[in-house]
Amino acid sequence: MQHKNIVILGTGGTIAGKAASASDNIGYTAAQVGVTQLVAAIPALAAAGHLLVEQVAQIDSKDMTFAVWAHLAERVHYFLARDDVQGVVITHGTDTLEETAYFLQTVLDPAKPVVLTCAMRPATSLVPDGPQNVMDALAVAGHAGARGVTAVCAGVVHSALDVQKVHSYQLDAFSSGDAGPVAYVEEGALRVLRDWPLGQQKRGLHAIELVALLVEAAAGGTWPRVEIVMNYAGASGAVVDALCHAGVQGLVVAATGNGTLHHDLEAALLRAQSQSVSIVRATRCVNGRVLSKPGEALADSRGLSPVKARIALMLRLMLSGSQA
Ligand code: SIN
């Protein structure tokens, strides 16, 4: 049987990290090993004839930029449009993986699978977790019925909407929170636990037009400025006021509990909103979502975490600007 190609795009991360000693799992430098070398080091893949491999970036994902996101979206879109491509796997750092996953899902809403994977230990580790994660990601990308953007780590498949890094060290570092994972990967086979997540796009632009807009905005430095502020004991409005003064276009507030805000912070956010700064209220709780009550003055994030709500708001502002 003729296999379609699976594309592996490298962006860096711990999965491509190097330490001076094989017993050092934390004192490494991320993004050192090329994706071609990573793939070549996995014996089961070395001989596989249906892999296309490309280095899109080589960064520690804490340093993710809009330019890398725009370039990545462009490459993923290019490969998915090819008839000979079954799906795309992206090797990525764990630290902002959930943001890239949500970004790609929102921009591309792909009918084919796009699977982000990663590692918590560097490639030089005595027992690295990256190779198995790549194998699992390929199993997901090759699975009939898989679609949209997912993340695979430690044998667990998470949807882009739900995935969140919840552990700073353990190999199984991600959670899907209340929603639960989409599937488990067991020896190359998927045990699917729930319906494959569908896109929820309602936008006027096709993916190709949106990607072009993102590339242009990244090159021109015109991505809307959206920052995240947090509610906490003793919070004030000072940060919000300073950000408004600096020209911020949108603010996501990581509120306490069910969207609650210190009255001083809330007053500053309402002031900002009255000056045309877009405000979205998310919760800083790891699980659950803000359940809005009638008459709330600040919009809620519709279940998105603060970092994903920020991406949604940036894209919304960018689209409203482009259509103005
Ligand atoms: C990164 O996010 O690039 C470094 C940390 C990791 O991949 O675990």
Side-chain angles (χ1 to χ4, degrees):
M1 192 181 86
Q2 184 74 32
H3 282 291
K4 285 198 174 189
N5 294 301
I6 295 182
V7 179
I8 305 183
L9 302 178
T11 68
T14 293
I15 192 168
K18 269 186 176 174
S21 149
S23 58
D24 190 352
N25 286 323
I26 57 169
Y28 60 86
T29 306
Q32 300 300 301
V33 184
V35 66
T36 308
Q37 206 182 327
L38 285 181
V39 171
I42 304 173
L45 301 185
H50 58 288
L51 297 178
L52 305 175
V53 181
E54 183 174 302
Q55 193 81 49
V56 170
Q58 187 63 303
I59 58 167
D60 187 319
S61 80
K62 71 178 174 56
D63 298 323
M64 183 53 71
T65 64
F66 298 144
V68 171
W69 267 357
H71 182 44
L72 182 61
E74 192 183 30
R75 296 313 289 155
V76 173
H77 184 268
Y78 163 78
F79 282 113
L80 292 182
R82 282 174 46 165
D83 285 342
D84 65 331
V85 168
Q86 152 79 27
V88 173
V89 167
I90 301 169
T91 58
H92 197 288
T94 59
D95 285 348
T96 59
L97 182 145
E98 70 214 55
E99 294 177 56
T100 300
Y102 179 75
F103 167 77
L104 290 175
Q105 174 61 46
T106 307
V107 170
L108 301 176
D109 193 16
K112 292 180 183 177
V114 175
V115 189
L116 282 88
T117 196
C118 55
M120 290 297 285
R121 292 180 181 161
T124 47
S125 172
L126 195 59
V127 188
D129 53 330
Q132 185 62 54
N133 285 344
V134 172
M135 296 285 291
D136 290 348
L138 287 167
V140 176
H143 180 79
R147 55 154 293 145
V149 182
T150 52
V152 175
C153 182
V156 187
V157 185
H158 305 273
S159 90
L161 201 61
D162 304 309
V163 67
Q164 198 168 353
K165 186 172 178 181
V166 292
H167 206 285
S168 59
Y169 178 72
Q170 290 175 359
L171 303 191
D172 188 4
F174 289 88
S175 168
S176 290
D178 293 343
V182 176
Y184 295 124
V185 189
E186 298 168 336
E187 295 298 302
L190 264 67
R191 174 153 58 100
V192 179
L193 303 171
R194 60 180 171 102
D195 286 346
W196 213 267
L198 292 177
Q200 33 177 249
Q201 295 312 112
K202 275 194 237 107
R203 58 157 196 253
L205 289 186
H206 293 296
I208 182 79
E209 296 167 311
L210 187 47
V211 169
L213 190 65
L214 294 170
V215 170
E216 195 182 297
T222 56
W223 281 55
R225 178 158 180 210
V226 177
E227 303 287 352
I228 299 173
V229 295
M230 188 184 264
N231 191 50
Y232 39 76
S236 76
V239 174
V240 170
D241 291 341
L243 286 168
C244 289
H245 189 67
V248 77
Q249 289 153 277
L251 287 170
V252 173
V253 57
T256 31
N258 187 29
T260 56
L261 297 167
H262 186 288
H263 54 85
D264 285 340
L265 177 58
E266 183 169 27
L269 289 166
L270 290 171
R271 245 186 343 264
Q273 187 165 256
S274 72
Q275 292 158 18
S276 303
V277 177
S278 298
I279 311 290
V280 172
R281 210 161 33 106
T283 177
R284 66 179 215 185
C285 292
V286 174
N287 289 320
R289 57 191 296 159
V290 175
L291 300 169
S292 275
K293 301 182 284 295
E296 303 265 31
L298 299 174
D300 73 79
S301 69
R302 298 168 164 259
L304 293 176
S305 66
V307 289
K308 291 179 185 175
R310 173 177 176 264
I311 294 165
L313 182 52
M314 282 192 300
L315 292 172
R316 181 153 62 82
L317 289 172
M318 194 180 288
L319 284 175
S320 62
S322 79
Q323 287 158 3

